[in-house]
Amino acid sequence: MRDAFPRLEVGEADFVVLCDALKVSESVREKAWKTYESLSAADGALACNKKKKETWGVCIFIVAIDLDEVTFTFTELLKSINMSVCTFFQFLKEVDVNMDTVSTKVDSTVSRLKKKYDVLFALYHKFERTCGLIYLEQPSSEISAELSSVLVLKNYWITFLLAKGKVLQVDDDLVISFQLLLCVLDYFIKLSPPAMLKEPYKSSVSAVTVNGSARTPRRGQNRSSRTAKQLDTDTKIIEILCKEHDCNLDEVKNVYFTSFIPFLNSAGIVASNGLPEVEVILKQYDELYLKNKDIDARLFLNHDETLQPAVTACSQLERTPLKNNPDEEINIPQTPVRVAMNNIQQLIMILNSATDKPSDTLIMYFNNCTVNPKDSILKRVESFDHIFKKKFAEAVGQGWAEIGSQRYKLGVRLYYRVMESMLKSEEERLSVQNFSKLLNDNIFHTSLLACAVEVVMATYGRNASQNDSSGAETDLSFPWILNVFDLKAFDFYKVIESFIKAEPSLTREMIKHLEHCEHRIMESLAWQSGSPLFDLIKQSKEREGQTDQPEPTSTLNMPLQHNHTAADLYLSPVKSPKKKASGPPLSATSTPDAQPAVIPQTQKPQKSTSLSLFYKKVYLLAYRRLHTLFLHLLSEHPDLEPLIWTLFQHTLQNEYELMRDRHLDQIMMCSMYGICKVKNVDLRFKIIVSAYKELCNTNQETFKRVLIREEQYDSIIVFYNLVFMQRLKTNILQYASSRPPTLSPIPHIPRSPYQFSNSPRRVPAGNNIYISPLKSPYKFSDGFQSPTKMTPRSRILVSIGESFGTSEKFQKINQMLCNSEGQLKRSAEVGAAAPKPLKRLRFDIEGQDEADGSKHLPQESKFQQKLAEMTSTRTRMQKQKLNDGNDTSASEEK
């Protein structure tokens, strides 16, 4: 054994011991040691005694995965080097100093392990708290020692782990896993003696016993028929569990019958003393764990240190807030499971009024079409139902096909609801009802349906690490939906903005998700081979010669404002009529407050509307990314930013083929490196990449695996040398000449139309008055229309549109505002600098809020205007009362 490592010194014998403990092969030992030598040469700190063993473990892990020779489980590795899951992941990032140690294959494995850990961590803590609400800590003496709460927890958790591993093909689906956990809870509660249970579970189990449903069935009885009969005759326990956790009862029942009961039959779990035998479950789970070679989730029961989160909680699990004052109200703790359940409940409540068939209003629109699209729409919806059900079962597990069908039907409801909203908005804007061309467009309908189903899938598919900046995705995450619907990303992009505007009830998280999908499309998915984008660009350049551009640079510094609707994008390029059209419009939707379109009497033939708007958005996204990275790296060289942007923009416009099957950020990093190189600014690619990987929503594969030529990939530095520099060498060198290229205008950066204001905004002058949007629109326990209580009772909460409560609140706000005005005036008198006005949400201090009919500033929000009106009304009432009290003879002017 030692002969294989002649260079090892006495101290390095521990490396051999570690390899022996993990049973690694000779090839893994040799390459792992070489990797360690390379790492320690680059960073001497990794070779110190404190980090040496951890570094060896990381090297063995990396090499074993790359060589497909993993002989140990992930938990065994962690135990052998005394590291926790989160510490290991963080250390792995630190070890990859040169960006070439960890391959994309290892990245993928780590991502899967992290997602699985996050889901298990969230589920176990939910499970532990839930069991505390179900079982007595010290049951009566009539309960035998074999049925202690510890044993119950162990039975529950391991049975759940086994069921999850057996029936789920995905490790990271939080919602389905939780629904399966509720099935396990229901099953075990019914097998538990009532004396162990708290209310209302105790009464429910007692009622089952009185009605004759045995808790300990005969072993010879068929389990499937027995359990089905039991659940049919008594669903009270599962109803309680679903109500407690805001879970859909029908969905959980579906999981119970289609997945959980078949699991019980296949596992051969036998009840003994009312509970399944632990040894049988343990043996089966152990086999599953050794086969998967990942995390031993049984250790959660012991609160094992390898599974505990780091101080900076890598799972980002939100904790329950503490009460400093017992009289204060606090929000319900927003754990990942609760957030997921609340989002699902809100979606279901929104769709309760919708149907999975076209409404009478939609039928009217269909009948008004030159060619009635009803039959083709219904056939398309039915066809995709079968396709989606099949694809969902292939991804999740064959027993989950009906769950997939349920989610698809929710998507169909949303599809019809949004379609109706689009058509109503367009009818109001253009005063027409014939939308024949749009409603007979197959790509439009497929995109709209796919978008609706994506909203449903994303609502259910929230993983346990939503706050993680890495943006970890599940197996069913976008762009999975594009493959299911056989849809091009560029076509899907066209419907996103109109979809968001047509459905005002979308949650903030869903709007952000759809915006993220749009960014994914603009940065890479739309640039894949076979995308219609390249044909549109080619047609654009051929239309008026090579001087024609997808989007002129002269428009870059203009605000991104448009009234384009879904139809404009799906039916373009079109020619604008010379006169205002009297026939059917091509539009399908618009913003709720859109004004009627004004069409000039004469116009040139339009270019592709979809291409023009796409390029505007790409430029905006590209500059935002560049500006963020620039601030990290080159803030001391502000003169370089316009040069880098000009090269970046030139490449996207004139060398767009470089984007084929590549990523927007790859061109960005190469542009930055090229300009710094020609301007003699020392900025190495390693530094660029190090800063880039710390940005939000980035993936290491972006710089580790770049297309060089057909089916050949390498690092980004190789791409720069062999492809980017070769194509743009002449252009790059111009920046060092006396006649550099004309600089491209800097894009106008508006506030995203999809985002909401996050932070409370403070009123000037130092008083404790803040304006903040409601963070969670609804509290389900109080009904769909009730705003969530966001502050303790000791604070003032004003919700515009509801009853304001007592007059004391008006007086307090008036007093604080008056104090603010007084302080501002005093500051002005002593020559102090005027406070910087807040953007959007600011109280005007120059008398323009008086109730004298003066107009509000155009940039004021509705919230500002409403609050100003309330304040002015209150002031006027006080003046009137004062006048009446003094018995003045002055009469009110008419």
Side-chain angles (χ1 to χ4, degrees):
M1 184 75 67
R2 293 180 185 272
D3 293 338
F5 299 94
R7 293 173 293 172
L8 294 182
E9 300 176 358
V10 176
E12 268 57 33
D14 290 338
F15 175 77
V16 178
V17 174
L18 179 61
C19 290
D20 289 342
L22 297 174
K23 303 180 178 61
V24 300
S25 65
E26 292 297 324
S27 56
V28 171
R29 291 171 189 250
E30 183 178 352
K31 189 171 181 180
W33 180 254
K34 289 181 179 179
T35 303
Y36 167 70
E37 287 183 323
S38 176
L39 290 175
S40 57
D43 183 0
L46 297 176
C48 70
N49 290 331
K50 288 185 177 180
K51 289 190 175 181
K52 185 176 291 185
K53 192 171 184 178
E54 288 89 340
T55 309
W56 289 341
V58 166
C59 292
I60 292 171
F61 175 79
I62 292 171
V63 172
I65 291 174
D66 281 334
L67 298 181
D68 286 324
E69 295 183 21
V70 180
T71 56
F72 49 85
T73 69
F74 185 54
T75 295
E76 287 173 344
L77 175 65
L78 295 177
K79 288 283 188 182
S80 65
I81 58 177
N82 298 317
M83 294 184 80
S84 69
V85 174
C86 294
T87 306
F88 182 89
F89 291 150
Q90 183 60 38
F91 187 61
L92 187 63
K93 289 177 63 177
E94 296 173 5
V95 163
D96 194 21
V97 288
N98 289 320
M99 313 303 161
D100 57 1
T101 304
V102 179
S103 65
T104 54
K105 185 177 182 180
V106 175
D107 281 334
S108 177
T109 301
V110 169
S111 177
R112 182 184 64 82
L113 285 170
K114 188 181 186 306
K115 287 185 289 184
K116 183 170 186 175
Y117 168 78
D118 283 328
V119 169
L120 288 171
F121 183 80
L123 288 173
Y124 181 75
H125 282 268
K126 186 72 173 178
F127 161 75
E128 204 171 35
R129 288 191 298 270
T130 302
C131 285
L133 299 174
I134 297 174
Y135 286 93
L136 296 168
E137 293 182 9
Q138 294 180 339
S140 60
S141 57
E142 63 187 72
I143 302 300
S144 63
E146 288 81 7
L147 296 179
S148 65
S149 58
V150 175
L151 180 62
V152 169
L153 283 173
K154 190 173 183 179
N155 263 283
Y156 268 44
W157 183 243
I158 299 176
T159 301
F160 164 68
L161 293 176
L162 183 60
K164 182 176 181 295
K166 290 278 190 179
V167 303
L168 267 178
Q169 291 175 197
V170 290
D171 293 326
D172 52 12
D173 196 306
L174 182 64
V175 173
I176 289 183
S177 298
F178 182 66
Q179 291 173 338
L180 187 60
L181 179 59
L182 291 184
C183 294
V184 176
L185 289 170
D186 174 79
Y187 176 73
F188 273 84
I189 289 171
K190 289 176 179 177
L191 293 177
S192 302
M196 295 182 64
L197 303 171
K198 295 179 180 180
E199 294 294 352
Y201 304 99
K202 181 177 181 179
S203 301
S204 300
V205 170
S206 299
V208 172
T209 306
V210 170
N211 292 333
S213 297
R215 292 191 311 276
T216 310
R218 294 187 300 274
R219 297 190 181 187
Q221 188 176 355
N222 179 269
R223 181 177 301 275
S224 180
S225 61
R226 181 181 71 237
T227 312
K229 182 179 179 181
Q230 182 180 354
L231 195 65
D232 280 337
T233 57
D234 179 49
T235 60
K236 193 166 186 179
I237 292 173
I238 199 73
E239 287 173 1
I240 294 172
L241 288 169
C242 290
K243 184 177 180 181
E244 286 292 321
H245 301 287
D246 290 324
C247 224
N248 185 279
L249 178 62
D250 291 334
E251 290 184 2
V252 177
K253 281 184 179 180
N254 199 319
V255 173
Y256 200 106
F257 286 116
T258 61
S259 298
F260 185 63
I261 291 176
F263 156 73
L264 291 176
N265 292 329
S266 64
I269 298 175
V270 179
S272 175
N273 294 325
L275 293 171
E277 297 175 356
V278 179
E279 291 75 15
V280 176
I281 306 171
L282 276 173
K283 182 180 179 182
Q284 292 191 50
Y285 177 74
D286 200 52
E287 293 173 355
L288 185 67
Y289 157 65
L290 292 174
K291 177 184 176 182
N292 293 333
K293 295 184 172 64
D294 51 19
I295 299 170
D296 187 352
R298 293 171 295 188
L299 298 179
F300 279 112
L301 292 166
N302 306 326
H303 297 96
D304 191 275
E305 59 183 9
T306 61
L307 297 179
Q308 297 308 302
V311 178
T312 56
C314 77
S315 67
Q316 297 292 323
L317 182 67
E318 297 183 50
R319 298 297 185 177
T320 305
L322 299 175
K323 282 189 178 183
N324 295 323
N325 185 340
D327 294 328
E328 288 187 354
E329 294 181 4
I330 61 172
N331 292 325
I332 299 173
Q334 295 297 299
T335 61
V337 174
R338 180 173 293 280
V339 170
M341 294 300 110
N342 283 353
N343 285 337
I344 292 169
Q345 280 296 98
Q346 183 166 341
L347 176 67
I348 291 175
M349 295 182 82
I350 289 172
L351 296 179
N352 272 344
S353 60
T355 66
D356 53 6
K357 299 292 182 184
S359 66
D360 292 340
T361 303
L362 277 178
I363 295 296
M364 179 195 72
Y365 282 118
F366 297 162
N367 292 336
N368 287 334
C369 291
T370 306
V371 178
N372 194 314
K374 179 182 175 181
D375 290 342
S376 63
I377 289 174
L378 293 178
K379 287 179 181 178
R380 185 184 298 107
V381 168
E382 183 181 0
S383 174
F384 277 121
D385 186 6
H386 300 299
I387 295 172
F388 184 86
K389 188 174 178 179
K390 178 183 177 183
K391 295 287 187 181
F392 187 88
E394 289 174 356
V396 181
Q398 291 304 317
W400 301 88
E402 287 305 316
I403 297 293
S405 183
Q406 285 181 339
R407 296 187 184 181
Y408 176 79
K409 287 174 181 175
L410 283 176
V412 171
R413 288 185 178 189
L414 185 58
Y415 161 69
Y416 285 132
R417 175 184 165 100
V418 172
M419 189 196 308
E420 182 176 325
S421 176
M422 285 181 170
L423 297 177
K424 282 181 177 179
S425 177
E426 199 69 357
E427 179 187 5
E428 181 180 349
R429 187 172 75 94
L430 298 173
S431 301
V432 292
Q433 295 182 332
N434 187 344
F435 303 102
S436 185
K437 191 170 184 180
L438 176 69
L439 292 179
N440 283 283
D441 189 282
N442 177 60
I443 296 179
F444 164 71
H445 281 291
T446 304
S447 302
L448 183 60
L449 179 58
C451 193
V453 176
E454 173 61 25
V455 168
V456 174
M457 293 299 292
T459 302
Y460 276 88
R462 284 178 60 89
N463 58 57
S465 56
Q466 290 298 313
N467 295 325
D468 189 354
S469 62
S470 64
E473 299 171 347
T474 66
D475 292 338
L476 302 178
S477 292
F478 185 83
W480 179 79
I481 199 73
L482 300 182
N483 296 325
V484 174
F485 284 80
D486 192 23
L487 190 63
K488 299 295 184 183
F490 183 74
D491 290 327
F492 183 83
Y493 138 83
K494 298 176 188 177
V495 84
I496 293 176
E497 185 172 342
S498 292
F499 190 100
I500 293 173
K501 291 176 179 178
E503 182 47 79
S505 298
L506 285 178
T507 64
R508 180 174 181 272
E509 288 77 11
M510 279 305 104
I511 293 175
K512 288 178 66 176
H513 172 74
L514 289 177
E515 183 182 26
H516 178 64
C517 294
E518 186 179 59
H519 288 176
R520 288 281 307 277
I521 292 171
M522 291 190 293
E523 69 190 13
S524 63
L525 297 177
W527 301 95
Q528 293 176 347
S529 294
S531 171
L533 174 61
F534 290 101
D535 292 334
L536 279 176
I537 297 175
K538 184 178 179 181
Q539 292 170 12
S540 174
K541 289 188 174 293
E542 290 176 349
R543 183 181 298 109
E544 297 179 10
Q546 289 297 317
T547 57
D548 192 31
Q549 302 170 0
E551 183 59 28
T553 56
S554 58
T555 66
L556 286 177
N557 55 0
M558 298 173 61
L560 180 61
Q561 296 177 347
H562 67 90
N563 290 322
H564 297 310
T565 62
D568 293 330
L569 305 186
Y570 282 100
L571 303 179
S572 70
V574 295
K575 293 183 178 180
S576 296
K578 294 183 178 180
K579 297 181 180 180
K580 187 172 182 178
S582 58
L586 296 177
S587 300
T589 185
S590 65
T591 57
D593 56 353
Q595 299 298 317
V598 178
I599 302 178
Q601 292 297 312
T602 59
Q603 284 186 347
K604 292 182 179 180
Q606 289 184 354
K607 293 181 294 185
S608 168
T609 303
S610 59
L611 179 62
S612 176
L613 183 58
F614 178 80
Y615 254 90
K616 285 181 179 179
K617 289 190 173 185
V618 167
Y619 285 154
L620 187 58
L621 177 65
Y623 178 73
R624 277 177 167 159
R625 294 272 181 88
L626 172 63
H627 184 66
T628 302
L629 187 62
F630 186 88
L631 291 179
H632 277 74
L633 295 170
L634 295 167
S635 57
E636 297 180 357
H637 301 275
D639 56 309
L640 293 183
E641 185 182 34
L643 303 182
I644 298 171
W645 167 241
T646 301
L647 175 59
F648 191 9
Q649 186 273 328
H650 166 84
T651 306
L652 294 174
Q653 175 182 299
N654 300 297
E655 302 292 345
Y656 59 89
E657 278 293 333
L658 284 177
M659 279 293 296
R660 188 183 292 272
D661 295 321
R662 297 189 179 97
H663 195 288
L664 184 71
D665 293 347
Q666 294 165 353
I667 307 300
M668 173 186 70
M669 287 185 277
C670 287
S671 298
M672 180 174 285
Y673 181 79
I675 294 297
C676 288
K677 193 83 171 175
V678 79
K679 286 294 184 179
N680 297 316
V681 175
D682 185 19
L683 182 65
R684 301 179 183 180
F685 242 123
K686 174 183 172 181
I687 304 301
I688 296 176
V689 168
S690 296
Y692 172 77
K693 72 174 185 176
E694 298 302 322
L695 302 182
C696 294
N697 299 319
T698 58
N699 190 318
Q700 295 195 41
E701 187 167 329
T702 303
F703 53 82
K704 289 184 176 181
R705 190 173 185 270
V706 189
L707 178 67
I708 306 301
R709 55 181 64 90
E710 187 176 356
E711 297 184 0
Q712 180 186 346
Y713 296 84
D714 213 314
S715 68
I716 191 167
I717 186 64
V718 175
F719 166 72
Y720 176 85
N721 290 326
L722 298 184
V723 182
F724 188 86
M725 185 61 183
Q726 301 303 317
R727 182 75 65 90
L728 289 159
K729 184 175 182 179
T730 302
N731 184 272
I732 293 174
L733 291 177
Q734 289 179 8
Y735 291 88
S737 68
S738 57
R739 300 181 63 184
T742 303
L743 296 179
S744 298
I746 299 296
H748 175 82
I749 302 182
R751 179 173 176 263
S752 169
Y754 307 137
Q755 293 177 352
F756 298 94
S757 178
N758 291 323
S759 304
R761 298 196 175 271
R762 190 170 183 272
V763 175
N767 279 298
N768 291 323
I769 303 177
Y770 292 82
I771 301 175
S772 174
L774 290 177
K775 295 182 180 178
S776 180
Y778 305 105
K779 184 176 180 181
F780 300 110
S781 60
D782 295 338
F784 186 61
Q785 295 296 332
S786 299
T788 305
K789 296 178 180 179
M790 298 301 296
T791 59
R793 285 178 294 194
S794 58
R795 304 291 185 264
I796 298 175
L797 174 65
V798 182
S799 180
I800 302 302
E802 292 195 347
S803 175
F804 197 44
T806 62
S807 60
E808 285 78 7
K809 287 186 178 180
F810 276 116
Q811 294 171 358
K812 288 181 179 179
I813 290 181
N814 280 338
Q815 183 179 2
M816 287 187 286
L817 289 173
C818 289
N819 290 341
S820 298
E821 186 174 350
Q823 290 182 24
L824 288 173
K825 287 180 178 179
R826 285 193 296 273
S827 299
E829 288 170 0
V830 298
K836 186 178 181 180
L838 296 176
K839 295 180 181 178
R840 299 187 302 280
L841 296 178
R842 59 184 284 268
F843 287 93
D844 192 88
I845 61 174
E846 299 175 356
Q848 296 198 22
D849 283 339
E850 296 177 5
D852 59 356
S854 61
K855 297 181 180 179
H856 294 286
L857 295 176
Q859 66 268 25
E860 286 185 328
S861 68
K862 291 181 180 179
F863 184 94
Q864 281 179 270
Q865 296 172 14
K866 188 69 176 179
L867 189 56
E869 290 168 5
M870 289 195 304
T871 306
S872 300
T873 301
R874 184 64 177 168
T875 302
R876 188 171 65 250
M877 291 172 62
Q878 288 176 337
K879 287 181 179 179
Q880 182 65 39
K881 186 176 180 180
L882 181 62
N883 291 338
D884 293 341
N886 293 334
D887 195 23
T888 59
S889 60
S891 60
E892 184 176 350
E893 294 181 4
K894 301 294 182 181

